[in-house]
Amino acid sequence: MAEIKQTNYDVIVIGAGPGGMTAAMYASRANLSVLMLDRGIYGGNLNNTAEIENYTGFKSIMGPDLAKEMYEGATQFGADYAYGAVEKVEVVGEVKQITTDMGDVFTAKAVVIATGSSQRKLGVPGEAEFSGRGVSYCAVCDGAFFKNKHLIVVGGGDSAVEEGAFLTQLADKVTVLVRRDQLRAQPIVQDKAMQNPKMEFVFNTSVTEIVGDDMKVTGVKTVNNVTGETGELAADGVFIYVGSDPMTAPFKDLGILNAKGWVETDATMATKIPGIFAVGDVRDTLLRQVATAVGDGAIAGQQVFKYLDEQK
Ligand code: NAP
């Protein structure tokens, strides 16, 4: 891990996912002093992603492996990396002051927000109770616990379908419960999954409760959203992929979020506060992909340099 040398930087990048790591690489390669602050291991949502087959340059790569490659690229020009859960960002004159939950204070001339999004909870009884005991939000982390078992995946987007397909490499059978009569996932992702003999789709079905014994999940209670018929489905694990919410709590007082909490930027990744930029999934954007986050990061890294040059 790159060693942290100081508390005052040209640029502090908050969040070390694909967007943040790319912004850090571009800014440090332009000879700026850069700190990436992240509340956990670098990689962001890449760490919850199994196989990626739509990131240019790799026919297929596992999320955590791509995270490692990106981290090595991001730190090769001197960017520092430190653990820190950012609690607040304040603008003090020309300076941006960043405070972590441990009370550490960092200052920078410019900030790049790259905190991404967090997986949404389903919000049904049993979900919190059985979290880590059969309820999971990460196939790549927890799939191996379910070799030759029956799993339920909840959701119908790219994440549900792709992670469900990954789970079929371990489990005997994966049943995907979809609340509407159709999937939201991209057609190519759907087509591949429909041909997977270990994957089954049940449409118009919502989970109303996750049930289990003292130790672990044993199944889910369901309702058919068309007929109203209720039922119960036995399973050894439940993987939840029902979308994501922005991780923007530390920035709520800056006036840069839209009504749904995503950060608003212009095409240069600038927010309406001079010197504060945002990239990747945390932005109010059309497409949330590794490729788009990386593109945003490149633009922001370059624009930060331009902004600081103009301040001289
Ligand atoms: P998403 O696209 O927002 O899909 C969420 C899915 O969960 C939808 O099918 C939604 O149903 C369903 N859902 C929401 N609330 C639910 C509830 N309470 N009960 C049951 N189902 C519920 O989220 P995502 O799949 O996490 O993807 C997030 C973003 O990342 C997307 O832009 C996606 O394209 C992108 N992504 C891309 C790739 C890739 O390109 N390979 C891989 C993963 C993610 P409705 O359809 O009825 O709303």
Side-chain angles (χ1 to χ4, degrees), residues 49 51-54 117 119-123 154-163 177-180 182-186 189 205-207 241-244 281 286-289:
T49 306
E51 194 184 359
I52 297 168
E53 51 181 28
N54 58 353
S117 59
Q119 278 179 259
R120 199 174 289 151
K121 301 283 184 288
L122 193 53
V154 187
D158 285 323
S159 300
V161 179
E162 288 193 334
E163 300 307 311
L177 300 183
V178 185
R179 69 176 174 181
R180 286 188 295 141
Q182 56 180 278
L183 296 169
R184 188 183 283 275
Q186 303 162 64
V189 173
T205 301
S206 288
V207 170
Y241 289 100
V242 293
S244 50
D281 285 8
L286 283 178
L287 189 61
R288 295 194 168 89
Q289 304 269 296

Side-chain angles (χ1 to χ4, degrees), residues 32-220:
L32 300 174
S33 62
V34 179
L35 171 67
M36 285 186 285
L37 267 180
D38 199 294
R39 63 178 184 168
I41 178 84
Y42 58 80
N45 282 336
L46 286 177
N47 293 313
N48 307 331
T49 306
E51 194 184 359
I52 297 168
E53 51 181 28
N54 58 353
Y55 183 59
T56 316
F58 298 88
K59 275 171 100 175
S60 167
I61 186 164
M62 295 298 281
D65 294 339
L66 183 56
K68 190 163 177 293
E69 296 286 343
M70 286 187 172
Y71 177 74
E72 279 165 15
T75 51
Q76 69 179 315
F77 303 111
D80 289 345
Y81 169 68
Y83 289 110
V86 171
E87 212 161 63
K88 149 172 98 170
V89 175
E90 290 161 296
V91 180
V92 185
E94 301 278 284
V95 172
K96 280 77 187 167
Q97 187 170 295
I98 294 165
T99 310
T100 71
D101 63 348
M102 302 294 284
D104 295 325
V105 177
F106 298 90
T107 51
K109 295 176 191 153
V111 164
V112 179
I113 297 170
T115 43
S117 59
S118 64
Q119 278 179 259
R120 199 174 289 151
K121 301 283 184 288
L122 193 53
V124 297
E127 181 180 19
E129 189 186 341
F130 291 108
S131 184
R133 293 194 290 143
V135 171
S136 172
Y137 304 85
C138 180
V140 73
C141 320
D142 299 329
F145 296 119
F146 298 96
K147 279 196 181 124
N148 308 322
K149 304 280 189 192
H150 175 214
L151 295 175
I152 286 171
V153 169
V154 187
D158 285 323
S159 300
V161 179
E162 288 193 334
E163 300 307 311
F166 170 76
L167 288 169
T168 63
Q169 294 174 33
L170 303 153
D172 253 3
K173 182 177 160 193
V174 173
T175 303
V176 184
L177 300 183
V178 185
R179 69 176 174 181
R180 286 188 295 141
D181 62 352
Q182 56 180 278
L183 296 169
R184 188 183 283 275
Q186 303 162 64
I188 188 168
V189 173
Q190 295 193 27
D191 291 349
K192 206 166 156 187
M194 292 294 172
Q195 285 162 24
N196 185 331
K198 288 168 107 184
M199 240 170 145
E200 167 190 66
F201 291 87
V202 180
F203 290 93
N204 296 315
T205 301
S206 288
V207 170
T208 54
E209 186 177 343
I210 297 169
V211 293
D213 56 26
D214 286 349
M215 297 298 291
K216 58 179 176 44
V217 163
T218 55
V220 296

Side-chain angles (χ1 to χ4, degrees), residues 279-308:
V279 300
D281 285 8
V282 77
R283 282 179 64 223
D284 179 17
T285 182
L286 283 178
L287 189 61
R288 295 194 168 89
Q289 304 269 296
V290 180
T292 51
V294 163
D296 288 359
I299 293 171
Q302 169 66 18
Q303 289 298 317
V304 158
F305 175 78
K306 198 167 162 234
Y307 167 78
L308 294 179

